[in-house]
Amino acid sequence: MSVKILSITLLLLFVCVSSAARHPSRSRMCCIKVTTLNMSPEVVGETYREQAAGSPCVKAIIFNTEYGQLCADPNAQWVKDLTANMMKV
């Protein structure tokens, strides 16, 4: 179980980066990479957020997990299935 938690934590660290350091006026997370790996079991809550592409950020669907925010590929089928039953914020 701890290997799974470590893997998820590392994945979250690699796919999300705070844009606040580069752009002090922004306070939200900025996805610079997305995962296509089905992480739906890790998603918590009933909401998601869309992120538009704009350097260095990439187009992404952002979910909340127990470990932080998850940046997912909006074209992945599991993401489409999950967002169909959630509310966009």
Side-chain angles (χ1 to χ4, degrees):
M1 178 85 170
S2 63
V3 172
K4 182 178 179 183
I5 292 172
L6 178 61
S7 297
I8 292 169
T9 303
L10 289 175
L11 176 65
L12 292 171
L13 289 174
F14 285 116
V15 296
C16 289
V17 66
S18 174
S19 63
R22 290 189 191 145
H23 307 285
S25 63
R26 294 186 193 171
S27 62
R28 286 195 166 182
M29 297 296 287
C30 170
C31 300
I32 57 170
K33 293 184 181 178
V34 293
T35 183
T36 56
L37 181 65
N38 187 344
M39 302 291 288
S40 57
E42 306 303 325
V43 174
V44 297
E46 300 292 325
T47 61
Y48 68 94
R49 184 167 61 87
E50 289 183 4
Q51 173 182 283
S55 186
C57 308
V58 297
K59 187 173 181 180
I61 298 294
I62 304 173
F63 295 109
N64 292 313
T65 73
E66 185 178 330
Y67 312 103
Q69 293 189 325
L70 172 68
C71 301
D73 182 345
N75 296 315
Q77 188 59 50
W78 73 270
V79 174
K80 292 176 183 180
D81 294 342
L82 195 57
T83 57
N85 299 313
M86 298 177 85
M87 183 173 64
K88 179 180 166 184
V89 292

